[in-house]
Amino acid sequence: VLEPDVWKQPDGSTMSCEESIIVLRDNLMEIEEICQEALEDAVLMDVSEAQFRDVLHAVVERLTNPYEKG
């Protein structure tokens, strides 16, 4: 799974809680598996791989932070 060498907190400091890092890693693995399966389905249905990847990027861009302050 693609993961940074260190996870940063909003203030730029390094996250040190190992349990949180494990949750992040597990979530990323699950997201990657789902995206891979969806890409394979799209390609098997003769959808443009490039277009499907663009849609996945757009999905990520639409994500909202429900905890954003301000």
Side-chain angles (χ1 to χ4, degrees):
V1 69
L2 185 60
E3 180 179 356
D5 292 333
V6 295
W7 287 100
K8 299 286 185 171
Q9 295 179 319
D11 66 4
S13 62
T14 300
M15 178 188 284
S16 60
C17 178
E18 192 61 36
E19 291 174 10
S20 294
I21 293 170
I22 290 169
V23 170
L24 288 168
R25 186 176 297 127
D26 289 346
N27 286 344
L28 287 172
M29 287 173 54
E30 186 175 344
I31 291 166
E32 186 174 9
E33 288 173 13
I34 291 169
C35 288
Q36 180 64 46
E37 290 174 9
L39 174 65
E40 291 171 11
D41 287 347
V43 170
L44 285 173
M45 292 183 284
D46 209 25
V47 169
S48 162
E49 178 180 342
Q51 182 185 26
F52 189 79
R53 288 178 184 275
D54 288 344
V55 170
L56 286 179
H57 287 279
V59 167
V60 171
E61 291 300 317
R62 288 184 51 185
L63 296 176
T64 60
N65 176 358
Y67 309 107
E68 192 166 8
K69 297 175 185 170

